[in-house]
Amino acid sequence: MKRFLKNNGLLLANLILFLAFLVGTAISGWHQYNEDQLAHGQAIETLGGYITSGAFMEAVFENWESEFLQMGMYVVLTAYLYQRGSSESKPLGKPAEQDQDPRTAEVNPDTPWPVKKGGWVLAVYEHSLSALFFILFALSFILHAVGGAEDYSSEQAAHGEPGVTVWEYLATSRFWFESFQNWQSEFLAVAVIVGASVFLRERRSAESKPVAEPHYFTGA
């Protein structure tokens, strides 16, 4: 068990933090939702009812949507673009291991199965990381729209107005405001780490260059 925890500590720590903050989102969102319900003279909701509501779905997936978009774009952009001096960039002026054509790689027992298989399987596999993020982005985008349409329709009903379909909700400024306000913050965060990692360091972090490394050195 100790070996397992050491080998997977980074993943496990992030999953634990994710679950903790998701629970926090559910509980705090539930209280906020009921405060709004009481302010409008409507019945309060149970926690179970809230986490299956459009309000909670919208709140969660509009954030997931931006995270997966950010990471998908980051994977693709770092494949083709460079930033001199940044630990987030491939090195300039020399071949990077990531650019190696897997079709010319020496195959051994530990080589991933898709590389051994070749053909269309390898073609899919060599772009599978970005594909995963964009698929998750698309699913989150859809669920954000579904949850948002349900929540928006509930608000409309409380004011005696007709509800909307998912397609109609996609045409509202509210949906795009929710999306853009999250998207812009994600790319700002990426720009900050790309630029800051040129001059600043974090000892022991894989996201930083060695502390004594010159500013102009590019790559991890």
Side-chain angles (χ1 to χ4, degrees):
M1 176 59 74
K2 185 176 180 180
R3 182 182 181 87
F4 174 81
L5 293 175
K6 182 177 181 180
N7 289 348
N8 301 281
L10 186 58
L11 174 61
L12 292 173
N14 277 281
L15 288 175
I16 290 169
L17 288 168
F18 159 69
L19 291 173
F21 291 134
L22 182 62
V23 170
T25 299
I27 294 174
S28 59
W30 174 48
H31 285 292
Q32 178 62 49
Y33 182 81
N34 280 335
E35 288 175 9
D36 291 340
Q37 288 290 93
L38 291 173
H40 291 88
Q42 302 204 354
I44 61 173
E45 187 62 86
T46 64
L47 178 59
Y50 171 68
I51 62 177
T52 58
S53 70
F56 182 70
M57 182 184 297
E58 178 182 36
V60 169
F61 287 108
E62 71 176 82
N63 283 283
W64 289 18
E65 163 196 312
S66 62
E67 299 293 342
F68 292 133
L69 174 64
Q70 175 211 53
M71 294 307 300
M73 288 299 300
Y74 191 50
V75 168
V76 172
L77 291 175
T78 53
Y80 301 101
L81 303 179
Y82 300 85
Q83 176 57 53
R84 185 175 186 268
S86 177
S87 64
E88 299 297 307
S89 171
K90 292 187 297 185
L92 290 162
K94 60 180 181 179
E97 292 181 359
Q98 297 92 333
D99 293 335
Q100 179 189 15
D101 188 340
R103 293 158 188 81
T104 64
E106 181 179 346
V107 175
N108 59 63
D110 295 325
T111 300
W113 172 79
V115 179
K116 296 177 182 178
K117 180 69 173 177
W120 69 268
V121 175
L122 175 55
V124 172
Y125 182 68
E126 63 185 346
H127 299 292
S128 56
L129 183 59
S130 60
L132 171 65
F133 283 119
F134 288 128
I135 289 170
L136 291 172
F137 163 71
L139 291 174
S140 298
F141 185 91
I142 292 168
L143 291 170
H144 170 200
V146 171
E150 181 182 326
D151 187 49
Y152 186 77
S153 294
S154 296
E155 294 177 6
Q156 290 288 91
H159 293 88
E161 300 289 337
V164 296
T165 65
V166 173
W167 286 111
E168 289 171 335
Y169 185 64
L170 282 170
T172 65
S173 57
R174 170 171 151 169
F175 174 81
W176 291 104
F177 173 70
E178 290 170 346
S179 293
F180 286 137
Q181 71 172 332
N182 285 293
W183 296 357
Q184 56 85 22
S185 65
E186 299 300 337
F187 287 100
L188 172 62
V190 169
V192 169
I193 193 171
V194 168
S197 66
V198 175
F199 306 103
L200 305 180
R201 309 286 188 269
E202 185 60 43
R203 188 181 175 202
R204 297 189 177 91
S205 175
E207 296 304 309
S208 170
K209 296 184 293 187
V211 176
E213 200 77 64
H215 293 328
Y216 61 80
F217 180 83
T218 306

